[in-house]
Amino acid sequence: MPGVFVVLEGGDGAGKSTQLGRLAAWLTQAGREVVVTYEPGDTPLGATVRRLLLDHSSGDVSPRAEAMLYAADKAQHVYEVVRPALDAGKVVGCDRYVDSMIAYQAAGRSLDPDEIRGLADWATGGLAPDLTVVLDVPVERALGEKTDLDRMESAGAEFHARVRAHFLDLAAQDPSRYLVLPGRDDRDAIEAAIRARVEALLP
Ligand SMILES: Nc1ncnc2c1ncn2[C@@H]1O[C@H](COP(=O)(O)OP(=O)(O)O)[C@@H](O)[C@H]1O
Ligand SMILES: [Mg+2]
């Protein structure tokens, strides 16, 4: 595949958007074509799915229904946005991807991680990132000051602690494809560490 696929993972408020913006600015300045995108919701169909997922009006959502909705968003996102950009040789920077689904729907909701990975891989056609950056922050720091929590953010501290631990587990299983950084380190230091790893991937 001609493009480069970089994913940022981590809890809400970990700094994913901040660092994706900085990464994209640097790549653009270096003359690269960049697509910055996110899951769930960055397609017309996905935006509708995102509302269903995050709105409290969805009520008591079955963990399996939730997993299927995330999978549907991913299938559409890869089909409409990610795969075409990679095929065109662009750098794709994505805010959340398959690991979020495994961390939230398997570890968080207590479903089988192998089954969730199977569902996610089916949805994406097995498209894997070249690099996943995990921005790690303590749960209470991330959601601490935030009010007006959405349906996922309201899942509770234990849920979010399981999610956080699972991101670290996934990264530990395949260090060559991951970069784990403390999300509350200095923004410039985080940016530099991400740049160094991405630079090595550029053709
Ligand atoms: N390294 C950092 N140290 C302290 N605060 C940060 C850092 N990076 C981002 N923030 C702040 O934390 C908040 C959440 O950042 P954001 O990039 O929106 O996270 P996410 O996209 O992961 O939810 C923002 O107010 C942002 O300015
Ligand atoms: Mg964000």
mmCIF file of all heavy atoms in Angstrom, residues 147-184:
data_model
loop_
_atom_site.group_PDB
_atom_site.id
_atom_site.type_symbol
_atom_site.label_atom_id
_atom_site.label_comp_id
_atom_site.label_asym_id
_atom_site.label_seq_id
_atom_site.Cartn_x
_atom_site.Cartn_y
_atom_site.Cartn_z
ATOM 1 N N THR A 147 -17.709 18.240 32.324
ATOM 2 C CA THR A 147 -19.109 18.007 32.688
ATOM 3 C C THR A 147 -19.828 17.620 31.398
ATOM 4 O O THR A 147 -19.216 17.591 30.344
ATOM 5 C CB THR A 147 -19.740 19.279 33.276
ATOM 6 O OG1 THR A 147 -19.516 20.343 32.342
ATOM 7 C CG2 THR A 147 -19.118 19.644 34.603
ATOM 8 N N ASP A 148 -21.109 17.293 31.471
ATOM 9 C CA ASP A 148 -21.837 17.027 30.245
ATOM 10 C C ASP A 148 -21.260 15.802 29.512
ATOM 11 O O ASP A 148 -20.982 15.845 28.320
ATOM 12 C CB ASP A 148 -21.707 18.270 29.327
ATOM 13 C CG ASP A 148 -23.015 18.532 28.603
ATOM 14 O OD1 ASP A 148 -24.013 17.921 29.002
ATOM 15 O OD2 ASP A 148 -23.011 19.317 27.646
ATOM 16 N N LEU A 149 -21.043 14.727 30.243
ATOM 17 C CA LEU A 149 -20.409 13.540 29.662
ATOM 18 C C LEU A 149 -21.356 12.832 28.695
ATOM 19 O O LEU A 149 -22.557 12.729 28.959
ATOM 20 C CB LEU A 149 -20.019 12.567 30.777
ATOM 21 C CG LEU A 149 -19.053 13.111 31.830
ATOM 22 C CD1 LEU A 149 -18.748 12.046 32.883
ATOM 23 C CD2 LEU A 149 -17.774 13.616 31.206
ATOM 24 N N ASP A 150 -20.807 12.331 27.559
ATOM 25 C CA ASP A 150 -21.639 11.573 26.628
ATOM 26 C C ASP A 150 -21.832 10.141 27.153
ATOM 27 O O ASP A 150 -21.342 9.789 28.220
ATOM 28 C CB ASP A 150 -21.081 11.629 25.195
ATOM 29 C CG ASP A 150 -19.765 10.883 25.019
ATOM 30 O OD1 ASP A 150 -19.566 9.838 25.679
ATOM 31 O OD2 ASP A 150 -18.936 11.343 24.209
ATOM 32 N N ARG A 151 -22.538 9.310 26.379
ATOM 33 C CA ARG A 151 -22.909 7.980 26.867
ATOM 34 C C ARG A 151 -21.681 7.119 27.175
ATOM 35 O O ARG A 151 -21.653 6.389 28.175
ATOM 36 C CB ARG A 151 -23.821 7.275 25.842
ATOM 37 C CG ARG A 151 -24.738 6.202 26.439
ATOM 38 C CD ARG A 151 -25.540 5.506 25.370
ATOM 39 N NE ARG A 151 -24.687 4.891 24.366
ATOM 40 C CZ ARG A 151 -24.106 3.686 24.496
ATOM 41 N NH1 ARG A 151 -24.338 2.960 25.559
ATOM 42 N NH2 ARG A 151 -23.320 3.229 23.562
ATOM 43 N N MET A 152 -20.641 7.190 26.323
ATOM 44 C CA MET A 152 -19.435 6.400 26.578
ATOM 45 C C MET A 152 -18.638 6.983 27.751
ATOM 46 O O MET A 152 -18.139 6.244 28.602
ATOM 47 C CB MET A 152 -18.543 6.350 25.329
ATOM 48 C CG MET A 152 -19.150 5.652 24.133
ATOM 49 S SD MET A 152 -19.614 3.911 24.405
ATOM 50 C CE MET A 152 -18.040 3.178 24.788
ATOM 51 N N GLU A 153 -18.533 8.312 27.790
ATOM 52 C CA GLU A 153 -17.772 8.946 28.866
ATOM 53 C C GLU A 153 -18.400 8.687 30.233
ATOM 54 O O GLU A 153 -17.726 8.725 31.255
ATOM 55 C CB GLU A 153 -17.683 10.465 28.626
ATOM 56 C CG GLU A 153 -16.779 10.834 27.453
ATOM 57 C CD GLU A 153 -16.941 12.282 26.994
ATOM 58 O OE1 GLU A 153 -17.975 12.904 27.305
ATOM 59 O OE2 GLU A 153 -16.036 12.773 26.305
ATOM 60 N N SER A 154 -19.707 8.411 30.237
ATOM 61 C CA SER A 154 -20.424 8.196 31.496
ATOM 62 C C SER A 154 -20.310 6.773 32.018
ATOM 63 O O SER A 154 -20.978 6.416 32.981
ATOM 64 C CB SER A 154 -21.919 8.502 31.303
ATOM 65 O OG SER A 154 -22.101 9.745 30.703
ATOM 66 N N ALA A 155 -19.492 5.943 31.371
ATOM 67 C CA ALA A 155 -19.473 4.510 31.719
ATOM 68 C C ALA A 155 -18.791 4.213 33.055
ATOM 69 O O ALA A 155 -18.832 3.083 33.531
ATOM 70 C CB ALA A 155 -18.812 3.710 30.598
ATOM 71 N N GLY A 156 -18.153 5.199 33.665
ATOM 72 C CA GLY A 156 -17.627 4.987 35.015
ATOM 73 C C GLY A 156 -16.124 4.770 35.054
ATOM 74 O O GLY A 156 -15.493 4.415 34.065
ATOM 75 N N ALA A 157 -15.555 4.988 36.258
ATOM 76 C CA ALA A 157 -14.097 4.969 36.423
ATOM 77 C C ALA A 157 -13.513 3.577 36.205
ATOM 78 O O ALA A 157 -12.441 3.425 35.607
ATOM 79 C CB ALA A 157 -13.734 5.480 37.810
ATOM 80 N N GLU A 158 -14.201 2.539 36.670
ATOM 81 C CA GLU A 158 -13.656 1.181 36.498
ATOM 82 C C GLU A 158 -13.605 0.787 35.036
ATOM 83 O O GLU A 158 -12.646 0.172 34.567
ATOM 84 C CB GLU A 158 -14.507 0.169 37.265
ATOM 85 C CG GLU A 158 -14.123 0.078 38.723
ATOM 86 C CD GLU A 158 -14.970 -0.939 39.460
ATOM 87 O OE1 GLU A 158 -15.359 -1.968 38.866
ATOM 88 O OE2 GLU A 158 -15.255 -0.675 40.641
ATOM 89 N N PHE A 159 -14.658 1.132 34.330
ATOM 90 C CA PHE A 159 -14.702 0.895 32.882
ATOM 91 C C PHE A 159 -13.503 1.573 32.221
ATOM 92 O O PHE A 159 -12.762 0.943 31.463
ATOM 93 C CB PHE A 159 -16.030 1.447 32.336
ATOM 94 C CG PHE A 159 -16.162 1.462 30.830
ATOM 95 C CD1 PHE A 159 -16.798 0.412 30.170
ATOM 96 C CD2 PHE A 159 -15.688 2.525 30.076
ATOM 97 C CE1 PHE A 159 -16.946 0.425 28.785
ATOM 98 C CE2 PHE A 159 -15.826 2.544 28.686
ATOM 99 C CZ PHE A 159 -16.458 1.487 28.047
ATOM 100 N N HIS A 160 -13.298 2.830 32.522
ATOM 101 C CA HIS A 160 -12.224 3.564 31.863
ATOM 102 C C HIS A 160 -10.837 3.078 32.303
ATOM 103 O O HIS A 160 -9.878 3.142 31.532
ATOM 104 C CB HIS A 160 -12.406 5.073 32.048
ATOM 105 C CG HIS A 160 -13.516 5.621 31.186
ATOM 106 N ND1 HIS A 160 -14.769 5.908 31.674
ATOM 107 C CD2 HIS A 160 -13.567 5.851 29.856
ATOM 108 C CE1 HIS A 160 -15.543 6.320 30.675
ATOM 109 N NE2 HIS A 160 -14.833 6.291 29.561
ATOM 110 N N ALA A 161 -10.740 2.555 33.507
ATOM 111 C CA ALA A 161 -9.462 1.978 33.950
ATOM 112 C C ALA A 161 -9.163 0.701 33.156
ATOM 113 O O ALA A 161 -8.013 0.448 32.776
ATOM 114 C CB ALA A 161 -9.517 1.674 35.450
ATOM 115 N N ARG A 162 -10.188 -0.110 32.887
ATOM 116 C CA ARG A 162 -9.982 -1.317 32.066
ATOM 117 C C ARG A 162 -9.574 -0.947 30.647
ATOM 118 O O ARG A 162 -8.714 -1.579 30.045
ATOM 119 C CB ARG A 162 -11.267 -2.173 32.020
ATOM 120 C CG ARG A 162 -11.582 -2.911 33.298
ATOM 121 C CD ARG A 162 -12.613 -4.018 33.064
ATOM 122 N NE ARG A 162 -13.902 -3.539 32.598
ATOM 123 C CZ ARG A 162 -14.872 -3.074 33.375
ATOM 124 N NH1 ARG A 162 -14.686 -3.011 34.685
ATOM 125 N NH2 ARG A 162 -16.022 -2.668 32.858
ATOM 126 N N VAL A 163 -10.215 0.097 30.127
ATOM 127 C CA VAL A 163 -9.888 0.561 28.770
ATOM 128 C C VAL A 163 -8.419 0.991 28.712
ATOM 129 O O VAL A 163 -7.663 0.593 27.819
ATOM 130 C CB VAL A 163 -10.809 1.724 28.365
ATOM 131 C CG1 VAL A 163 -10.308 2.414 27.101
ATOM 132 C CG2 VAL A 163 -12.240 1.215 28.175
ATOM 133 N N ARG A 164 -8.025 1.784 29.670
ATOM 134 C CA ARG A 164 -6.645 2.292 29.698
ATOM 135 C C ARG A 164 -5.648 1.136 29.755
ATOM 136 O O ARG A 164 -4.673 1.093 29.001
ATOM 137 C CB ARG A 164 -6.462 3.196 30.923
ATOM 138 C CG ARG A 164 -5.077 3.742 31.025
ATOM 139 C CD ARG A 164 -4.831 4.438 32.361
ATOM 140 N NE ARG A 164 -3.486 4.999 32.387
ATOM 141 C CZ ARG A 164 -2.874 5.383 33.482
ATOM 142 N NH1 ARG A 164 -3.480 5.297 34.661
ATOM 143 N NH2 ARG A 164 -1.650 5.866 33.414
ATOM 144 N N ALA A 165 -5.898 0.175 30.649
ATOM 145 C CA ALA A 165 -4.982 -0.961 30.796
ATOM 146 C C ALA A 165 -4.920 -1.771 29.505
ATOM 147 O O ALA A 165 -3.855 -2.281 29.130
ATOM 148 C CB ALA A 165 -5.433 -1.843 31.960
ATOM 149 N N HIS A 166 -6.041 -1.872 28.814
ATOM 150 C CA HIS A 166 -6.048 -2.692 27.605
ATOM 151 C C HIS A 166 -5.261 -2.047 26.470
ATOM 152 O O HIS A 166 -4.594 -2.748 25.707
ATOM 153 C CB HIS A 166 -7.486 -3.009 27.169
ATOM 154 C CG HIS A 166 -7.572 -4.289 26.398
ATOM 155 N ND1 HIS A 166 -7.585 -5.525 26.993
ATOM 156 C CD2 HIS A 166 -7.570 -4.532 25.065
ATOM 157 C CE1 HIS A 166 -7.606 -6.465 26.065
ATOM 158 N NE2 HIS A 166 -7.604 -5.892 24.873
ATOM 159 N N PHE A 167 -5.322 -0.734 26.357
ATOM 160 C CA PHE A 167 -4.475 -0.053 25.358
ATOM 161 C C PHE A 167 -2.999 -0.406 25.604
ATOM 162 O O PHE A 167 -2.248 -0.692 24.669
ATOM 163 C CB PHE A 167 -4.627 1.470 25.444
ATOM 164 C CG PHE A 167 -5.841 2.022 24.744
ATOM 165 C CD1 PHE A 167 -6.712 2.894 25.383
ATOM 166 C CD2 PHE A 167 -6.108 1.706 23.410
ATOM 167 C CE1 PHE A 167 -7.817 3.426 24.731
ATOM 168 C CE2 PHE A 167 -7.206 2.239 22.747
ATOM 169 C CZ PHE A 167 -8.062 3.094 23.421
ATOM 170 N N LEU A 168 -2.599 -0.375 26.867
ATOM 171 C CA LEU A 168 -1.191 -0.656 27.196
ATOM 172 C C LEU A 168 -0.848 -2.109 26.897
ATOM 173 O O LEU A 168 0.240 -2.410 26.400
ATOM 174 C CB LEU A 168 -0.920 -0.312 28.662
ATOM 175 C CG LEU A 168 -1.130 1.166 29.027
ATOM 176 C CD1 LEU A 168 -0.873 1.394 30.511
ATOM 177 C CD2 LEU A 168 -0.234 2.077 28.181
ATOM 178 N N ASP A 169 -1.792 -3.024 27.154
ATOM 179 C CA ASP A 169 -1.575 -4.444 26.823
ATOM 180 C C ASP A 169 -1.378 -4.629 25.325
ATOM 181 O O ASP A 169 -0.483 -5.355 24.892
ATOM 182 C CB ASP A 169 -2.789 -5.288 27.230
ATOM 183 C CG ASP A 169 -2.817 -5.569 28.715
ATOM 184 O OD1 ASP A 169 -1.823 -5.252 29.395
ATOM 185 O OD2 ASP A 169 -3.838 -6.106 29.190
ATOM 186 N N LEU A 170 -2.246 -4.005 24.549
ATOM 187 C CA LEU A 170 -2.148 -4.150 23.094
ATOM 188 C C LEU A 170 -0.798 -3.638 22.604
ATOM 189 O O LEU A 170 -0.148 -4.261 21.761
ATOM 190 C CB LEU A 170 -3.285 -3.385 22.398
ATOM 191 C CG LEU A 170 -4.686 -3.986 22.569
ATOM 192 C CD1 LEU A 170 -5.744 -2.990 22.111
ATOM 193 C CD2 LEU A 170 -4.819 -5.288 21.785
ATOM 194 N N ALA A 171 -0.371 -2.516 23.147
ATOM 195 C CA ALA A 171 0.908 -1.934 22.733
ATOM 196 C C ALA A 171 2.069 -2.849 23.124
ATOM 197 O O ALA A 171 3.022 -3.027 22.353
ATOM 198 C CB ALA A 171 1.084 -0.556 23.362
ATOM 199 N N ALA A 172 1.977 -3.454 24.297
ATOM 200 C CA ALA A 172 3.072 -4.306 24.777
ATOM 201 C C ALA A 172 3.222 -5.558 23.922
ATOM 202 O O ALA A 172 4.313 -6.129 23.820
ATOM 203 C CB ALA A 172 2.821 -4.690 26.233
ATOM 204 N N GLN A 173 2.124 -5.977 23.280
ATOM 205 C CA GLN A 173 2.175 -7.194 22.464
ATOM 206 C C GLN A 173 2.923 -6.991 21.152
ATOM 207 O O GLN A 173 3.308 -7.962 20.508
ATOM 208 C CB GLN A 173 0.747 -7.684 22.164
ATOM 209 C CG GLN A 173 0.097 -8.374 23.348
ATOM 210 C CD GLN A 173 -1.412 -8.520 23.171
ATOM 211 O OE1 GLN A 173 -1.894 -8.644 22.048
ATOM 212 N NE2 GLN A 173 -2.141 -8.485 24.270
ATOM 213 N N ASP A 174 3.076 -5.749 20.700
ATOM 214 C CA ASP A 174 3.659 -5.526 19.373
ATOM 215 C C ASP A 174 4.399 -4.176 19.337
ATOM 216 O O ASP A 174 3.996 -3.256 18.631
ATOM 217 C CB ASP A 174 2.534 -5.560 18.324
ATOM 218 C CG ASP A 174 3.077 -5.694 16.909
ATOM 219 O OD1 ASP A 174 4.316 -5.734 16.744
ATOM 220 O OD2 ASP A 174 2.263 -5.755 15.973
ATOM 221 N N PRO A 175 5.486 -4.059 20.112
ATOM 222 C CA PRO A 175 6.154 -2.756 20.279
ATOM 223 C C PRO A 175 6.618 -2.129 18.959
ATOM 224 O O PRO A 175 6.706 -0.905 18.869
ATOM 225 C CB PRO A 175 7.375 -3.088 21.153
ATOM 226 C CG PRO A 175 7.063 -4.389 21.800
ATOM 227 C CD PRO A 175 6.151 -5.130 20.868
ATOM 228 N N SER A 176 6.876 -2.931 17.937
ATOM 229 C CA SER A 176 7.380 -2.356 16.692
ATOM 230 C C SER A 176 6.308 -1.534 15.972
ATOM 231 O O SER A 176 6.631 -0.690 15.140
ATOM 232 C CB SER A 176 7.908 -3.460 15.771
ATOM 233 O OG SER A 176 6.839 -4.254 15.307
ATOM 234 N N ARG A 177 5.042 -1.773 16.290
ATOM 235 C CA ARG A 177 3.957 -1.045 15.641
ATOM 236 C C ARG A 177 3.296 -0.020 16.570
ATOM 237 O O ARG A 177 2.271 0.571 16.225
ATOM 238 C CB ARG A 177 2.881 -2.016 15.156
ATOM 239 C CG ARG A 177 3.286 -2.766 13.906
ATOM 240 C CD ARG A 177 2.244 -3.796 13.549
ATOM 241 N NE ARG A 177 2.454 -4.309 12.212
ATOM 242 C CZ ARG A 177 1.906 -3.786 11.098
ATOM 243 N NH1 ARG A 177 1.104 -2.764 11.175
ATOM 244 N NH2 ARG A 177 2.157 -4.314 9.920
ATOM 245 N N TYR A 178 3.868 0.143 17.777
ATOM 246 C CA TYR A 178 3.264 1.056 18.763
ATOM 247 C C TYR A 178 4.292 2.038 19.305
ATOM 248 O O TYR A 178 5.484 1.755 19.355
ATOM 249 C CB TYR A 178 2.690 0.263 19.946
ATOM 250 C CG TYR A 178 1.378 -0.410 19.640
ATOM 251 C CD1 TYR A 178 1.344 -1.647 19.023
ATOM 252 C CD2 TYR A 178 0.174 0.199 19.959
ATOM 253 C CE1 TYR A 178 0.143 -2.280 18.730
ATOM 254 C CE2 TYR A 178 -1.036 -0.412 19.679
ATOM 255 C CZ TYR A 178 -1.046 -1.653 19.059
ATOM 256 O OH TYR A 178 -2.234 -2.261 18.778
ATOM 257 N N LEU A 179 3.756 3.171 19.751
ATOM 258 C CA LEU A 179 4.535 4.133 20.516
ATOM 259 C C LEU A 179 3.641 4.565 21.677
ATOM 260 O O LEU A 179 2.565 5.116 21.448
ATOM 261 C CB LEU A 179 4.890 5.332 19.628
ATOM 262 C CG LEU A 179 5.571 6.515 20.312
ATOM 263 C CD1 LEU A 179 6.932 6.118 20.873
ATOM 264 C CD2 LEU A 179 5.724 7.679 19.323
ATOM 265 N N VAL A 180 4.069 4.285 22.888
ATOM 266 C CA VAL A 180 3.295 4.672 24.072
ATOM 267 C C VAL A 180 3.967 5.888 24.701
ATOM 268 O O VAL A 180 5.167 5.874 24.964
ATOM 269 C CB VAL A 180 3.226 3.530 25.106
ATOM 270 C CG1 VAL A 180 2.420 3.963 26.332
ATOM 271 C CG2 VAL A 180 2.612 2.277 24.489
ATOM 272 N N LEU A 181 3.178 6.940 24.921
ATOM 273 C CA LEU A 181 3.727 8.167 25.501
ATOM 274 C C LEU A 181 2.825 8.656 26.628
ATOM 275 O O LEU A 181 1.596 8.552 26.527
ATOM 276 C CB LEU A 181 3.804 9.258 24.425
ATOM 277 C CG LEU A 181 4.736 8.971 23.245
ATOM 278 C CD1 LEU A 181 4.504 10.000 22.139
ATOM 279 C CD2 LEU A 181 6.188 8.975 23.689
ATOM 280 N N PRO A 182 3.420 9.212 27.690
ATOM 281 C CA PRO A 182 2.602 9.811 28.749
ATOM 282 C C PRO A 182 1.912 11.055 28.188
ATOM 283 O O PRO A 182 2.578 12.012 27.792
ATOM 284 C CB PRO A 182 3.610 10.170 29.841
ATOM 285 C CG PRO A 182 4.907 9.502 29.441
ATOM 286 C CD PRO A 182 4.865 9.342 27.954
ATOM 287 N N GLY A 183 0.603 11.020 28.152
ATOM 288 C CA GLY A 183 -0.162 12.067 27.471
ATOM 289 C C GLY A 183 -0.112 13.431 28.137
ATOM 290 O O GLY A 183 -0.555 14.417 27.548
ATOM 291 N N ARG A 184 0.392 13.481 29.374
ATOM 292 C CA ARG A 184 0.484 14.782 30.034
ATOM 293 C C ARG A 184 1.905 15.321 30.055
ATOM 294 O O ARG A 184 2.177 16.337 30.683
ATOM 295 C CB ARG A 184 -0.127 14.733 31.444
ATOM 296 C CG ARG A 184 -1.660 14.807 31.422
ATOM 297 C CD ARG A 184 -2.149 16.081 30.734
ATOM 298 N NE ARG A 184 -3.561 16.086 30.432
ATOM 299 C CZ ARG A 184 -4.099 15.773 29.257
ATOM 300 N NH1 ARG A 184 -3.335 15.400 28.267
ATOM 301 N NH2 ARG A 184 -5.394 15.806 29.059
#
